[in-house]
Amino acid sequence: VSDSVVKPELTLQNKRSSKIDSLLTHKYLGIPMFLAIMALIFYLTFGLIGSYLSDLLAGGIDALGEFVVHFLEVNDVNAVVVSLVQNGIFAGVGSVLSFIPMIIVMFTFMSLLEDTGYMARVAYMMDRVLRKIGLSGKSFVPLLLGFGCSVPAIMSTRTLSSDRDRKMTIFLTPFMSCTAKLPIYGVFAAALFAKNRALVIISLYLLGILISILIGLIIKVFFYKGKPSPFILELPSYRFPHWKSVLQLIWERAKDFLTRAFTVIFVASLVIWFLQTFDYKLNPVADPNHSMLSAIGHVIAPVFAPLGFGNWFSATSLITGFMAKEAVISTMAVLTGVSAAHVSGQLQTMFSPQTAYAFMVFCLLYTPCVAAISVVKRELGSGLAALGVVIGQTAVAWIVTFVVYHLLLLF
């Protein structure tokens, strides 16, 4: 080999990458440093930059809503139509749109990390951790994508060579907290945990990861025994992020969020407004407690009573959350009849800190949205497996929320 192989000298870029790797991929310091970087990103997203920009946008949406409603009232438009515009459209869709800045801020930082080559190092470091639950470092990429959206994350499992690893990753990916849940965390954290907003939201992300690890261990022992596939990865040299790829990723996430806001969330808000505004004889009701929606919610509410939020409006919002997780907040905005900037204040009278945190935990863990379930069915080729994901995750969410809520009551 020494006679026939000529090794080129390391370039300046290679040497620089090796020095950085000696710290960022350190055996003991690598993962703590990754967690610290993610904690900083979450703090900037939910505490310092993102929340400020979201509040500004919420104020702008409120001002626009007030102008439109005033215009309709001045022109003697029917009161039901005014209610539809005010409570159905601006309260429902507007409450979700106000969280676009948080999503943009988060994915700006995430795309920067990805484009520098750092995320490849994280996948390498996580291989040792993931093997404890029966997966390889290859599964890290789909799991990481799950923090954005479960749909592309589940689809990306096609790159896994092992059928066993692929199925396990599909089952664990929905436990990652996708961006659709950000409006839920943002509103509840602002309402009841204003001083510790970032810490509360970070704790939810960590809880989702912890639960996925526990479920992974259970699946490994009882369902998918065996060893994960080998993991070989070429680490690219570090480089400065390319602004085009960063902007493209941000645009894709923002476009996806906007598309859902003006399709699924819009329709869900209109349906909730209709059910809340009329009774079974289609007569407008002055009190929402006499509406069709209240009757439906009261039937389901007892299931959630042991979790601390056994009221009909919480039950109703969780049902609409099955269509899209953002619909949880748009539903509550419609039910309370307040604007995007005032949803948090209204929730302070409806939830205690314990029940609010329990509600967020349930939203974190219960069934993925309809789009994610349809992808699970397509990827696994079984409607029974998709139904199992719905039932299994909801059962896990109920049990974990019950434990968390009653632990919080002790303190």
Side-chain angles (χ1 to χ4, degrees), residues 68-139:
V68 173
V69 169
H70 177 71
F71 176 80
L72 295 176
E73 289 175 341
V74 167
N75 288 277
D76 295 324
V77 175
N78 187 284
V80 174
V81 177
V82 174
S83 174
L84 170 63
V85 173
Q86 184 175 18
N87 300 324
I89 298 176
F90 277 97
V93 179
S95 61
V96 173
L97 287 178
S98 62
F99 287 91
I100 288 179
M102 282 190 180
I103 291 172
I104 291 176
V105 170
M106 171 179 273
F107 280 98
T108 297
F109 289 117
M110 294 294 285
S111 60
L112 290 174
L113 291 181
E114 184 178 338
D115 219 38
T116 57
Y118 178 63
M119 282 305 179
R121 271 79 180 172
V122 179
Y124 154 71
M125 291 187 295
M126 293 301 293
D127 179 65
R128 189 164 36 132
V129 176
L130 290 174
R131 284 185 181 276
K132 302 291 185 183
I133 62 173
L135 295 173
S136 74
K138 291 180 181 179
S139 297

Side-chain angles (χ1 to χ4, degrees), residues 44 113 144 247 269 272 289 299 348 358 379:
L44 294 174
L113 291 181
L144 183 67
L247 290 178
S269 298
I272 292 300
N289 287 301
V299 174
Q348 291 175 353
E379 294 299 314

Side-chain angles (χ1 to χ4, degrees), residues 387-408:
L387 180 62
V389 170
V390 173
I391 297 173
Q393 279 206 223
T394 304
V396 168
W398 197 97
I399 293 168
V400 173
T401 304
F402 179 86
V403 172
V404 168
Y405 173 63
H406 287 279
L407 284 176
L408 290 174

Side-chain angles (χ1 to χ4, degrees), residues 54-55 57-62 85-103 180-188 257 261-262 265-266 269 325-344 347:
S54 290
D55 290 342
L57 182 57
I61 293 172
D62 283 352
V85 173
Q86 184 175 18
N87 300 324
I89 298 176
F90 277 97
V93 179
S95 61
V96 173
L97 287 178
S98 62
F99 287 91
I100 288 179
M102 282 190 180
I103 291 172
K181 298 169 187 174
L182 276 182
I184 304 173
Y185 304 157
V187 167
F188 276 87
F257 191 81
F262 287 105
I265 308 303
F266 180 76
S269 298
K325 290 296 179 284
E326 303 98 328
V328 171
I329 291 303
S330 64
T331 299
M332 287 196 164
V334 173
L335 294 178
T336 55
V338 297
S339 58
H342 299 97
V343 175
S344 296
L347 293 180

